Amino acid sequence: MSCGCEKGTGCVIDILKEIANAQKDIYTECCATSAEQSINDLLGNWGGSTGFDTVPFILYNQDGTPFRGLGVVPGAVPGALGPLVASFYFRVKTVYEDGCAVLELLRDPADLNLTPDTIDVQAVANLTATGVCFTVDLHCFCHITTLPAISAFSGNTGTTPAI
């Protein structure tokens, strides 16, 4: 079920497509807080490179509650499963034409609560890419809040972060 947004009205799908394109440009090579401001910060449109690589965001379910994503970290040995982790903060990886998207969980590595039940108890001081990704249908969300652009890969060696 969709919230009734139409193409070009700034709905969740359109915003995430724009963020995904901007992040792809950065990673491979107004308002104080808004999607436009965060994208401009990411791209360094105000002069010089910013070092930012991610526009973090929060998605809201149709009932107005923040969406919590879950995933399992790979185990220490091939084929083993690690701990279940959750987050209310995401990085978009890809947005498909059908309105589905691949999202990555963002977490503060210092947050010992691996599966926060509410958004207000999740640590956000140092949101970092986790490598834990999943696919969602963006038609299921009615609201998106973008946060200021960050460097989610700072110090990330490309391996699964210690969670």
Side-chain angles (χ1 to χ4, degrees):
M1 172 180 239
S2 174
C3 290
C5 69
E6 296 177 22
K7 185 168 176 58
T9 61
C11 77
V12 172
I13 294 170
D14 296 332
I15 290 170
L16 287 180
K17 281 182 182 179
E18 194 172 345
I19 290 171
N21 288 335
Q23 286 176 171
K24 184 186 293 184
D25 290 345
I26 291 302
Y27 196 63
T28 60
E29 98 154 333
C30 125
C31 295
T33 59
S34 69
E36 181 179 359
Q37 179 64 44
S38 296
I39 291 168
N40 284 332
D41 289 346
L42 180 74
L43 296 174
N45 285 347
W46 309 120
S49 174
T50 63
F52 299 138
D53 53 40
T54 298
V55 174
F57 58 91
I58 304 163
L59 290 172
Y60 294 85
N61 297 308
Q62 293 182 5
D63 65 2
T65 60
F67 172 72
R68 180 176 78 146
L70 296 158
V72 175
V73 176
V77 296
L81 298 178
L84 177 71
V85 294
S87 182
F88 291 92
Y89 301 92
F90 309 102
R91 176 181 201 278
V92 63
K93 302 291 275 183
T94 304
V95 178
Y96 299 105
E97 289 301 316
D98 65 359
C100 290
V102 176
L103 306 182
E104 180 175 8
L105 298 179
L106 296 176
R107 291 191 41 86
D108 186 327
D111 190 352
L112 299 179
N113 183 355
L114 297 182
T115 57
D117 289 327
T118 60
I119 195 169
D120 59 328
V121 299
Q122 184 174 352
V124 296
N126 185 28
L127 289 175
T128 303
T130 63
V132 177
C133 300
F134 57 96
T135 303
V136 296
D137 181 345
L138 295 175
H139 295 100
C140 297
F141 303 105
C142 284
H143 179 77
I144 182 171
T145 297
T146 57
L147 305 173
I150 62 170
S151 295
F153 294 98
S154 295
N156 189 346
T157 62
T159 60
T160 303
I163 293 183

